[in-house]
Amino acid sequence: MGPTSRNHKSSQKDAAPNKAKPPRYPQRNRSITASASAFASPAVANSRVAKEKPSSSIAGEGEPQETVLKHPSTPTLPARMAKLVPLEGLGCEAAVGSLTPSREREYKVTNKHIEGRRPVYAIVFNFLDVRYYDIFATACGPRLSTYRCLMNGKFALLQSYLDDDMNESFFTVSWACDIDGNPLLVAAGSTGIIRVINCATEKIYKSLVGHGGSVNEIKSQPSNPSLIISASKDESIKLWNVQTGILILVFGGVGGHRHEDFHTSDIYRFLSCGMDNTVRIWSMKEFWEYVEKSYSWTDATSKFPTKFVQFPVLCAEIHSNYVDCTKWLGDFVLSKSVENEILLWEPITKEENPGEGHIDVLQKYPVPGCNIWFMKFSCDFHHNQLAIGNRDGKVYVWKVQTSPPVLIARLNNPQVKSAIRQTAVSFDGSTILACTEDGNIWRWDEVDHPTVPVPSKKQK
């Protein structure tokens, strides 16, 4: 499922409705409008409006929409999935962080921006290119926007895109790159169509069709940002080449997942999580030849031999409820369930028998009021600190790589009363953004610690 909640004990009034009504924007053009283009060349930047190509086509392609093989091939590899559970007993206790803020860094609210009348489900900084570290993107209803964080606490709107389908509700947005290094904005939501926008040319680059349900998450490969994975309500995860528009691999099977994250250093591995309460680790190493083939494929994209992968390398039964966010921390894993906490854990398997092993839960980061589905945390570039919002409009900022965990700050404001769906932490952690259920974007900036004057000793 997407942000929509089932009739489950974790469901709350803050959960998104099944079909959100389109926002009432005042006569907005169905185009990408750039008020201040940070991506385009001077020739392109002078053209402020770039009309979108038909949503049913893949830009530059003439073949049909279908990109998934009708008859999945049988996996060539036997199932070697390790099913792991946490260790219990003396000496296996996890270090639990205190909810008393250390105040190592002080933050203050510097901006509130009204994005629209529909929930803002996604917000993300661009960490793929040092030129754009201060630029972030948002997803609100059928609209995608990019902004630059200014030094005075304000935002500068760079580009805005409004989808052809006004009933579209974007649930996720991510950054990618083409082979020339141009920034691409990749987003998807309730319709299941993945939009790829070239921010340099201000045009739709690709529209990827292949999912049979809403798409909840998209992530790009940090080492190869032309590769993205998408997780959908149709219980499948798909690997795409956005440069060619080819669907390379499909990861699925019973109890497929709806959120994922690439490993930062291992190009072959990624995480997934979902409503079956598990976190899974998948490997693409055995199928990497298909990835390489996707760059040189000259035939129609629908004829590409898409490979189906049914078995993960590892399935971790680490949570007892829905898991909606996960992230690598080196070879450790950060995962969040609707149980008001984030866990840091290590999967341990035996080399001689990969099917055996256990899970070592190292730390717990409490997050009160975070028991509804689809609330995502974020980290700074170096994963030194983590920010997560809750249903009451508070943001908890944790220092990740300390034991026990240290709560740096608890951010709140009397005007923030709606659930925070996602946060975005800047490159160095000095700025924290949060998007809310009521269509707002909030900004907190670090303030200098006050200097306490030291009284001089009186001379006798």
Side-chain angles (χ1 to χ4, degrees):
M1 299 178 70
T4 307
S5 294
R6 292 177 176 174
N7 292 327
H8 188 270
K9 61 185 178 181
S10 67
S11 300
Q12 302 286 339
K13 64 179 181 179
D14 298 301
N18 288 326
K19 292 184 179 179
K21 295 182 179 180
R24 300 175 182 175
Y25 298 120
Q27 298 181 350
R28 293 191 64 92
N29 195 6
R30 296 183 183 183
S31 61
I32 302 173
T33 57
S35 62
S37 179
F39 310 102
S41 62
V44 176
N46 290 333
S47 176
R48 293 305 184 189
V49 178
K51 293 188 178 180
E52 180 185 358
K53 296 189 177 182
S55 60
S56 59
S57 65
I58 296 179
E61 302 285 349
E63 59 273 14
Q65 298 178 18
E66 184 176 352
T67 57
V68 183
L69 298 180
K70 292 183 179 180
H71 304 287
S73 58
T74 303
T76 57
L77 297 175
R80 297 198 305 269
M81 180 177 70
K83 201 167 187 178
L84 308 184
V85 295
L87 288 175
E88 296 180 353
L90 188 64
C92 299
E93 300 87 356
V96 182
S98 169
L99 287 173
T100 302
S102 67
R103 303 175 71 91
E104 290 184 20
R105 304 181 81 167
E106 296 283 351
Y107 294 86
K108 68 175 181 179
V109 173
T110 55
N111 201 347
K112 172 193 175 182
H113 175 71
I114 301 176
E115 184 70 1
R117 298 185 180 182
R118 294 173 67 173
V120 185
Y121 283 123
I123 186 168
V124 59
F125 275 104
N126 185 352
F127 287 162
L128 297 180
D129 194 322
V130 67
R131 296 173 296 174
Y132 309 130
Y133 279 175
D134 59 346
I135 292 177
F136 66 94
T138 63
C140 177
R143 187 177 65 187
L144 303 171
S145 302
T146 59
Y147 296 89
R148 167 164 274 143
C149 280
L150 303 180
M151 295 298 292
N152 58 2
K154 296 182 179 181
F155 302 134
L157 175 65
L158 303 179
Q159 296 177 1
S160 183
Y161 158 76
L162 193 63
D163 197 77
D164 268 347
D165 187 352
M166 291 299 294
N167 291 319
E168 171 69 280
S169 180
F170 287 115
F171 295 152
T172 179
V173 63
S174 184
W175 292 95
C177 291
D178 61 14
I179 58 175
D180 297 322
N182 294 318
L184 304 176
L185 198 61
V186 187
S190 58
T191 65
I193 300 173
I194 301 174
R195 304 293 193 191
V196 184
I197 301 169
N198 189 321
C199 295
T201 63
E202 305 174 14
K203 294 181 180 179
I204 291 290
Y205 185 70
K206 292 279 192 300
S207 290
L208 307 177
V209 181
H211 279 295
S214 60
V215 175
N216 288 0
E217 190 64 81
I218 294 175
K219 289 289 178 67
S220 60
Q221 165 60 256
S223 303
N224 191 350
S226 61
L227 297 178
I228 65 166
I229 44 176
S230 56
S232 170
K233 181 183 176 180
D234 64 9
E235 299 189 344
S236 72
I237 298 172
K238 300 182 188 293
L239 176 70
W240 304 82
N241 185 328
V242 294
Q243 180 69 30
T244 59
I246 289 176
L247 174 58
I248 307 170
L249 300 174
V250 177
F251 304 85
V254 179
H257 282 174
R258 302 169 179 86
H259 187 280
E260 75 289 310
D261 184 57
F262 274 116
H263 197 284
T264 53
S265 58
D266 187 340
I267 61 174
Y268 303 121
R269 286 192 294 166
F270 70 89
L271 293 164
S272 71
C273 62
M275 287 185 169
D276 62 355
N277 307 348
T278 68
V279 178
R280 301 184 183 188
I281 298 177
W282 302 81
S283 175
M284 301 181 288
K285 189 172 184 178
E286 295 86 353
F287 310 99
W288 198 250
E289 61 179 305
Y290 292 87
V291 175
E292 295 175 343
K293 186 183 296 185
S294 70
Y295 286 96
S296 58
W297 187 259
T298 57
D299 208 340
T301 57
S302 58
K303 295 182 180 180
F304 185 84
T306 301
K307 190 69 176 177
F308 286 76
V309 184
Q310 294 187 7
F311 302 105
V313 175
L314 181 150
C315 179
E317 297 179 346
I318 188 72
H319 296 278
S320 59
N321 211 322
Y322 296 166
V323 188
D324 55 6
C325 191
T326 185
K327 186 177 287 292
W328 288 102
L329 182 64
D331 288 329
F332 298 152
V333 178
L334 285 163
S335 59
K336 173 197 159 290
S337 178
V338 294
E339 301 166 314
N340 297 317
E341 65 180 5
I342 299 172
L343 301 183
L344 175 66
W345 51 278
E346 179 185 12
I348 301 175
T349 57
K350 299 179 180 179
E351 292 186 5
E352 63 277 8
N353 190 351
E356 294 183 7
H358 63 271
I359 293 170
D360 189 4
V361 180
L362 304 174
Q363 301 196 144
K364 296 183 179 181
Y365 308 80
V367 188
C370 197
N371 59 347
I372 61 176
W373 170 256
F374 212 82
M375 304 187 81
K376 303 175 186 178
F377 63 84
S378 65
C379 298
D380 66 334
F381 183 82
H382 295 290
H383 292 79
N384 290 323
Q385 66 184 53
L386 172 155
I388 174 70
N390 70 0
R391 68 183 184 189
D392 301 319
K394 296 181 176 63
V395 177
Y396 291 81
V397 184
W398 286 96
K399 193 172 183 179
V400 180
Q401 301 184 45
T402 58
S403 185
V406 174
L407 182 64
I408 298 174
R410 182 172 55 245
L411 312 180
N412 62 334
N413 186 281
Q415 297 182 38
V416 189
K417 301 178 181 179
S418 182
I420 294 175
R421 287 299 182 175
Q422 189 171 7
T423 62
V425 183
S426 65
F427 180 84
D428 60 355
S430 60
T431 298
I432 296 175
L433 306 177
C435 59
T436 62
E437 184 82 16
D438 58 1
N440 294 323
I441 299 172
W442 290 85
R443 174 175 175 174
W444 285 266
D445 284 303
E446 184 181 15
V447 296
D448 295 332
H449 290 288
T451 302
V452 179
V454 178
S456 60
K457 295 181 179 180
K458 296 181 178 180
Q459 296 181 355
K460 294 184 179 179

